[in-house]
């Protein structure tokens, strides 16, 4: 790969397993990114340990220290902008972001959601998928917009739903797909293959009417 690595900031609240996938891809040379900071709203988040072990600067900004969502988001924006990333990655960051924050990073803010959007927006996706009796579930990487889980989808990772699944077993398979599709989407962004124009995602200059799907076991290089 040629060119400078894409400067990114990763926001986390928990274990940071998707963060680890980014770190692994960076270290293996398959993901051309420069992780300039990992920021958490929870000081106990294990993802901070992962970042420190990988030599990545970490910062903690507890949301309980602020009187409003807007005040928190303004402080978070200032902290992010100090390191001048070109992409902000939400990786298990358990906060609903204000419209002002989202608008500030329009086209440069992405998230992964544990469903095949537009199905099952919001919380408890695995339980809801099982209750609905769907035969296919998965995850979606999307640009973040002010409407919750409604931004343009970049790529999806489907999994089959088994007759004996419970929410935990289904979640485990979805997590496995997350660790494959999220680095793929970030790589496309780093390579300039994906962008957001208006309310649509574009891949290689073409609007994505239907998001590409990375099937289990499929080589990401084939997409």
């Amino acid at each position: 790969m040629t060119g400078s690595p894409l400067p990114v900031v990763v926001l986390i609240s928990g274990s940071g397993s998707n963060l680890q996938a980014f770190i692994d891809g960076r270290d293996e040379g398959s993901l051309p990114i420069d992780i300039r900071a990992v920021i958490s709203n929870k000081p106990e988040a294990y993802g901070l340990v992962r970042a420190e072990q990988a030599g990545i600067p970490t910062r903690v900004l507890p949301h309980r220290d602020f009187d409003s969502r807007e005040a928190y988001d303004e402080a978070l924006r200032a902290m992010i902008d100090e390191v001048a990333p070109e992409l902000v990655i939400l990786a298990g960051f358990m906060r609903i972001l204000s419209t002002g924050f989202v608008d500030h990073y329009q086209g440069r803010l992405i998230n992964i959601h544990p469903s095949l959007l537009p199905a099952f927006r919001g919380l408890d996706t695995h339980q809801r998928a099982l209750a609905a009796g769907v035969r296919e579930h998965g995850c979606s990487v999307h640009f973040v917009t002010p409407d919750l889980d409604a931004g343009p989808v970049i790529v999806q990772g489907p999994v089959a739903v088994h007759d004996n699944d419970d929410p935990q077993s289904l979640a485990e398979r979805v997590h496995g797909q997350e660790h494959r599709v999220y680095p793929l989407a970030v790589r496309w962004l780093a390579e300039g293959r994906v962008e957001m124009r208006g309310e649509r995602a574009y891949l290689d200059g073409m609007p994505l009417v239907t998001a590409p799907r990375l099937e289990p076991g499929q080589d990401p290089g084939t997409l």
Side-chain angles (χ1 to χ4, degrees):
M1 295 180 181
T2 59
S4 300
L6 182 73
V8 307
V9 164
V10 183
L11 306 185
I12 64 168
S13 296
S15 70
S17 62
N18 276 309
L19 168 63
Q20 189 64 56
F22 302 141
I23 293 170
D24 292 345
R26 179 201 67 175
D27 293 347
E28 293 164 2
S30 62
L31 195 54
I33 59 173
D34 171 17
I35 307 174
R36 294 192 171 176
V38 170
I39 302 173
S40 177
N41 63 316
K42 295 186 176 181
E44 70 275 15
Y46 183 70
L48 295 170
V49 177
R50 296 181 189 269
E52 290 165 359
Q53 291 175 340
I56 299 167
T58 62
R59 301 185 184 186
V60 176
L61 189 67
H63 60 274
R64 298 188 185 280
D65 292 351
F66 294 82
D67 294 333
S68 69
R69 187 181 307 280
E70 289 74 19
Y72 179 84
D73 285 359
E74 179 62 23
L76 180 61
R77 182 202 61 75
M79 183 176 285
I80 293 169
D81 287 352
E82 282 180 8
V83 296
E86 294 181 25
L87 179 68
V88 178
I89 303 170
L90 306 180
F93 188 62
M94 303 305 291
R95 295 276 302 165
I96 295 176
L97 298 165
S98 62
T99 297
F101 182 93
V102 172
D103 287 346
H104 180 74
Y105 295 108
Q106 184 176 15
R108 300 186 293 132
L109 180 65
I110 62 172
N111 184 41
I112 191 162
H113 183 72
S115 80
L116 298 176
L117 292 171
F120 308 118
R121 292 173 178 160
L123 301 175
D124 302 321
T125 60
H126 310 307
Q127 295 93 322
R128 291 160 60 200
L130 291 171
V134 299
R135 304 312 302 167
E136 189 177 58
H137 189 43
C139 54
S140 307
V141 182
H142 64 95
F143 287 104
V144 177
T145 61
D147 293 331
L148 185 66
D149 302 328
V153 176
I154 299 169
V155 63
Q156 295 183 318
V159 301
V161 179
H162 300 161
D163 291 339
N164 62 346
D165 266 328
D166 59 25
Q168 181 177 353
S169 64
L170 186 55
E172 288 174 357
R173 288 203 307 286
V174 172
H175 286 157
Q177 280 287 71
E178 288 184 10
H179 303 158
R180 301 176 69 237
V181 300
Y182 215 176
L184 175 62
V186 172
R187 191 182 81 201
W188 285 351
L189 284 154
E191 293 172 345
R193 294 185 60 191
V194 167
E195 62 179 330
M196 180 177 167
R197 301 182 198 168
E199 298 182 357
R200 273 194 166 177
Y202 282 69
L203 175 62
D204 297 331
M206 300 296 294
L208 287 175
V209 178
T210 302
R213 291 160 54 103
L214 181 66
E215 301 291 338
Q218 181 181 358
D219 181 356
T222 61
L223 288 182

